[in-house]
Amino acid sequence: MLKVTLGERSLPALGVGTYALDKSAASADALRFAVDAGLEVIDCATYYHNEDFIGEVLKPVRDRVFLVGKVLPSEASYTGTRRALELSLRRLQTDCLDLYLLHWKGPYPLSETVRALRDLRRAGLIRNWGLSNVDLPELLSQEGAEECAASEILYNLYVRDMEYDYLPWAQNGKAILAYSPLGEGRLLRRPEPWLTGLAERKGVSVAALLTAFVMRSGRVIAIPKMGSVAHVKDCLTALDVTLDEEDVMEIDRHCPPPVRKMPLRPGW
């Protein structure tokens, strides 16, 4: 299984996103199946309004999960960040998060939130900290930026901006979490013929091909939402997809990589 180093952990390059994950039996079955299949990274956030559900489902297997949480920008003052974390810990039924992120920039200075995250790590309430939807130059300008273990960014076949600078940054224990690798499902509704043809030649679904593309560098953890066991099984096939030089050349013809620094896009 393709692995990515994040902090001191070696993790599968495929994780589970929980944005818009409902509190159904099918979702619970999907989460359990994913963990049993070795998918350790479970990406959560206060904003998703399902931490209580996820905490209950994952409680029996907490020691097998790399649990990610996020603080809302409106709560990301120095003291507010700790309060938000404590509430998330309670809902997720754990005493420590493996990774805690600022979800996106808001009214509080980024330096204040970063200071809070660093102190929470020193206090043992989180094992790693990072930022989401923050451009790399701004991250690097923060005191203690070298401690940042991860950045969560929009990344898929059609949104490749981060490859210019963030992808080189992601090494030596630093990693990218790629949200919306399937464009929130939009990329699957009417895939272009060339993409369908490439997936057929590789013997996988378009979803698996798109996910494999995001994971191919060994520095990125893809976190598609998986709301059913069938979806988990399909995503798992991406781990066996190898994109050769010819495949990448074809992809680059249709979806060129960036040739200069571009601002991060905040959403699909």
Side-chain angles (χ1 to χ4, degrees):
M1 185 179 290
L2 182 63
K3 296 279 189 174
V4 174
T5 301
L6 194 163
E8 297 180 352
R9 292 280 292 271
S10 179
L11 299 164
L14 181 64
V16 181
T18 63
Y19 174 64
L21 188 73
D22 61 32
K23 301 179 182 182
S24 66
S27 294
D29 289 343
L31 282 171
R32 294 188 194 99
F33 186 87
V35 174
D36 286 343
L39 304 186
E40 298 173 44
V41 178
I42 310 295
D43 181 73
C44 309
T46 300
Y47 180 69
Y48 303 162
H49 301 293
N50 53 16
E51 286 180 322
D52 54 344
F53 168 74
I54 293 166
E56 188 63 32
V57 173
L58 296 182
K59 185 178 180 181
V61 293
R62 173 64 184 95
D63 61 335
R64 294 159 54 196
V65 168
F66 186 91
L67 202 54
V68 182
K70 303 184 195 76
V71 57
L72 283 166
S74 59
E75 299 174 348
S77 67
Y78 181 80
T79 56
T81 299
R82 178 160 187 152
R83 282 196 303 269
L85 172 63
E86 289 171 345
L87 288 172
S88 287
L89 292 174
R90 196 176 310 156
R91 288 189 290 262
L92 291 165
Q93 302 189 45
T94 187
D95 58 3
C96 181
L97 289 185
D98 298 291
L99 175 64
Y100 199 47
L101 308 164
L102 170 66
H103 208 151
W104 65 89
K105 289 190 299 178
Y108 297 101
L110 187 58
S111 58
E112 183 176 345
T113 308
V114 167
R115 182 163 62 92
L117 293 169
R118 296 177 70 200
D119 286 349
L120 289 171
R121 181 171 178 261
R122 281 191 276 266
L125 294 175
I126 61 175
R127 294 187 176 91
N128 300 279
W129 66 268
L131 303 175
S132 181
N133 300 302
V134 174
D135 225 331
L136 184 60
E138 192 165 7
L139 185 160
L140 294 177
S141 71
Q142 302 302 308
E143 184 177 351
E146 69 281 357
E147 298 175 15
C148 180
S151 186
E152 188 166 313
I153 305 169
L154 172 67
Y155 180 43
N156 58 52
L157 187 65
Y158 293 88
V159 184
R160 300 179 61 177
D161 304 334
M162 77 89 178
E163 291 181 14
Y164 188 82
D165 57 354
Y166 250 123
L167 198 57
W169 171 84
Q171 54 187 323
N172 300 322
K174 303 185 188 303
I176 302 294
L177 274 65
Y179 71 83
S180 296
L182 308 179
E184 297 183 3
R186 292 179 178 87
L187 304 185
L188 305 179
R189 288 172 196 158
R190 276 201 240 171
E192 297 181 69
W194 73 267
L195 186 58
T196 303
L198 180 56
E200 289 174 353
R201 290 198 298 276
K202 304 302 287 187
V204 297
S205 69
V206 172
L209 178 65
L210 291 169
T211 306
F213 170 80
V214 166
M215 299 188 300
R216 74 196 186 287
S217 67
R219 304 177 189 180
V220 176
I221 300 172
I223 48 171
K225 186 185 80 170
M226 304 181 194
S228 68
V229 170
H231 193 182
V232 177
K233 289 179 178 179
D234 189 30
C235 287
L236 282 167
T237 64
L239 292 166
D240 298 321
V241 177
T242 300
L243 297 175
D244 58 31
E245 185 177 350
E246 185 177 338
D247 299 328
V248 174
M249 287 176 63
E250 180 175 2
I251 289 169
D252 287 350
R253 280 198 303 272
H254 293 279
C255 302
V259 295
R260 60 188 175 88
K261 170 64 180 168
M262 298 290 290
L264 288 180
R265 303 187 207 182
W268 169 250

